[in-house]
Amino acid sequence: MPAQTRRQLAAPPARYRRSPGLVMHWAGSELVCTDCVSGRRFAVSPEALSVLVRLDGGTSAAAIAAAHPEIGGLAAIDDLLAQLVRAKVIAPGVNGAWPWTTWMPEAAFFHFGTKATRFPADPRQHDRELRAKAVDSPPPAPVKAIAGRATTLPAAGDLGGLTRVLRERRTWRNFSAAKVGLPEMATLLQTTFGVQRWGTVKGQGRVVLKTSPSAGARHPIEAYLLAANVKGLSAGIYHYDSARHRLVALKRKMSKGLLVRVLANQQYFADAAAIVIMSAVFARSMWKYPSSRAYRAILIDAGHLGQTFCLAATALGLAPFSTMAFREHEVDSVLGIDGVSEGAMYVVGVGTRAAGHEGRPGRIATRGTT
Ligand SMILES: Cc1cc2nc3c(=O)[nH]c(=O)nc-3n(C[C@H](O)[C@H](O)[C@H](O)COP(=O)(O)O)c2cc1C
């Protein structure tokens, strides 16, 4: 017998494991599986299901064939396994280590299952659809009023500059061509994302304190600057080093086209001076909070920082905005992060105010906004 054949005969049979990120649910009469690891969603046949249930510990085709003769023998099992391998739902020899196992299934399903895949070429398309919808189905009331004995309150006190800034903050979608200065950008970054103080939690290590609160002082959010029109700073993509208050250039090209693309074709942000992409380093939160509920805190943390950024920009007389419409996969790859241990969560941006738009700074101009 040739040596190669002897080796083949002696080789242990391939053992397969299913992806550690599978979540299944019914959609009508169909069993649908989402693989949080790959982000794919697909229907599961009864045969595939009976194979998948056996693949938690690393199982061979022969073992499955012995346990499930109804599937049709080794050849049928091999075929099914090959299909599952191609779909990346299972892999030979994959070990179960995946950082999000800690927050399975709720947070992982939500985080990976809600990543954006496609956006319309024209974001105003959604507005048109909503206008049509509102004809027969108007939106719910934006405020709630309960009948009962009411106490009329004194007028809100004036907090001075803070009140002015809070009331003046608006989402801007109209920018002038003037650049934002580097000192203003530095102020925005330090005030929003910069470390204000260091602290120590006894027996746990060092924590940082910023101008926004953070659940458990974990501060999972990192900030990346995509600078297009900042005076004194080369157009580029930078990581903001929050402890040392400095920008570290990533070796990636920045352009207006890239900005609009990552912001899901929102052309009205094309003249923004810069955007800040907030990513989350999930392990910081997972370390302290093994429960998937902590995922909520990451979203809320990002919201706090977003508001601080917008208020600081308003105080500087600039034109801020926030957006959830961005392409996570593309943003992650532009930043060089893997989307699993660190992933993009939220985007804010800033420009200089276009004259004549103070009354309705967020209005989307109908010309030149495709
Ligand atoms: C979480 C979040 C996501 C948002 N996403 C978008 C967006 O994708 N595109 C956009 O133009 N504005 C976006 N906005 C801005 C809102 O449209 C805006 O806040 C809202 O219309 C109220 O206007 P104001 O910010 O001027 O008070 C977002 C705001 C928040 C808080």
Side-chain angles (χ1 to χ4, degrees):
M1 188 186 295
Q4 199 187 350
T5 316
R6 273 205 310 276
R7 262 204 309 281
Q8 275 169 358
L9 284 176
R15 299 172 81 84
Y16 298 87
R17 271 181 199 270
R18 64 174 176 255
S19 160
L22 301 189
V23 180
M24 300 209 195
H25 66 275
W26 294 102
S29 59
E30 210 168 53
L31 185 60
V32 176
C33 177
T34 299
D35 181 6
C36 297
V37 175
S38 68
R40 288 176 199 214
R41 191 165 288 190
F42 48 89
V44 181
S45 66
E47 295 78 23
L49 183 62
S50 47
V51 169
L52 282 173
V53 292
R54 300 192 62 84
L55 296 184
D56 52 342
T59 311
S60 68
I64 298 168
H68 289 282
E70 75 280 5
I71 296 179
L74 197 54
I77 299 285
D78 271 335
D79 206 38
L80 209 48
L81 288 172
Q83 283 175 35
L84 292 170
V85 168
R86 274 199 298 279
K88 299 203 170 104
V89 181
I90 64 167
V94 163
N95 72 44
W98 182 55
W100 280 78
T101 305
T102 330
W103 283 357
M104 274 289 280
E106 303 88 351
F109 184 54
F110 180 75
H111 179 75
F112 293 100
T114 57
K115 278 195 175 187
T117 46
R118 255 178 260 131
F119 289 96
D122 179 357
R124 292 171 305 173
Q125 176 61 27
H126 190 218
D127 280 337
R128 287 194 282 272
E129 287 162 13
L130 290 177
R131 258 176 255 142
K133 178 178 179 176
V135 174
D136 295 324
S137 171
V143 291
K144 179 172 176 176
I146 296 177
R149 198 167 62 82
T151 306
T152 303
L153 295 169
D158 189 359
L159 304 171
L162 182 57
T163 297
R164 180 188 66 73
V165 168
L166 285 165
R167 295 214 169 119
E168 193 183 312
R169 183 213 59 81
R170 289 270 75 81
T171 295
W172 280 74
R173 297 187 186 88
N174 296 279
F175 308 97
S176 82
K179 296 185 175 210
V180 167
L182 187 56
E184 283 78 25
M185 193 50 78
T187 303
L188 280 175
L189 290 170
Q190 214 291 325
T191 308
T192 309
F193 303 103
V195 172
Q196 305 297 328
R197 282 167 59 184
W198 284 88
T200 306
V201 178
K202 201 175 167 198
Q204 290 183 23
R206 298 180 88 195
V207 293
V208 294
L209 299 176
K210 303 190 178 183
T211 54
S212 293
S214 173
R218 302 313 298 157
H219 280 293
I221 303 293
E222 288 292 314
Y224 294 84
L225 183 72
L226 272 63
N229 211 17
V230 179
K231 195 172 175 193
L233 183 67
S234 304
I237 303 179
Y238 302 87
H239 172 246
Y240 177 61
D241 180 337
S242 63
R244 297 187 186 87
H245 184 48
R246 60 183 195 176
L247 289 169
V248 177
L250 306 185
K251 286 186 185 137
R252 289 179 179 82
K253 279 225 170 85
M254 173 61 192
S255 69
K256 224 183 227 196
L258 177 76
L259 194 140
V260 172
R261 212 192 124 61
V262 298
L263 296 188
N265 313 325
Q266 296 180 92
Q267 192 69 38
Y268 36 83
F269 293 137
D271 293 328
I275 61 172
V276 177
I277 296 168
M278 293 183 221
S279 70
V281 176
F282 300 107
R284 288 184 199 154
S285 304
M286 286 170 175
W287 182 83
K288 184 162 183 174
Y289 302 114
S291 156
S292 60
R293 181 176 164 75
Y295 182 77
R296 289 172 177 241
I298 294 184
L299 300 175
I300 293 167
D301 272 28
H304 278 292
L305 294 162
Q307 173 73 342
T308 304
F309 181 91
C310 291
L311 291 177
T314 305
L316 289 166
L318 297 172
F321 62 89
S322 358
T323 177
M324 270 299 293
F326 62 92
R327 302 173 200 272
E328 284 99 338
H329 293 290
E330 206 160 323
V331 166
D332 289 344
S333 108
V334 163
L335 301 182
I337 57 181
D338 63 9
V340 176
S341 59
E342 180 179 354
M345 302 298 290
Y346 192 22
V347 178
V348 287
V350 66
T352 50
R353 299 178 182 184
H357 285 271
E358 293 75 13
R360 292 188 62 189
R363 186 174 187 199
I364 298 170
T366 46
R367 203 159 41 85
T369 55
T370 52

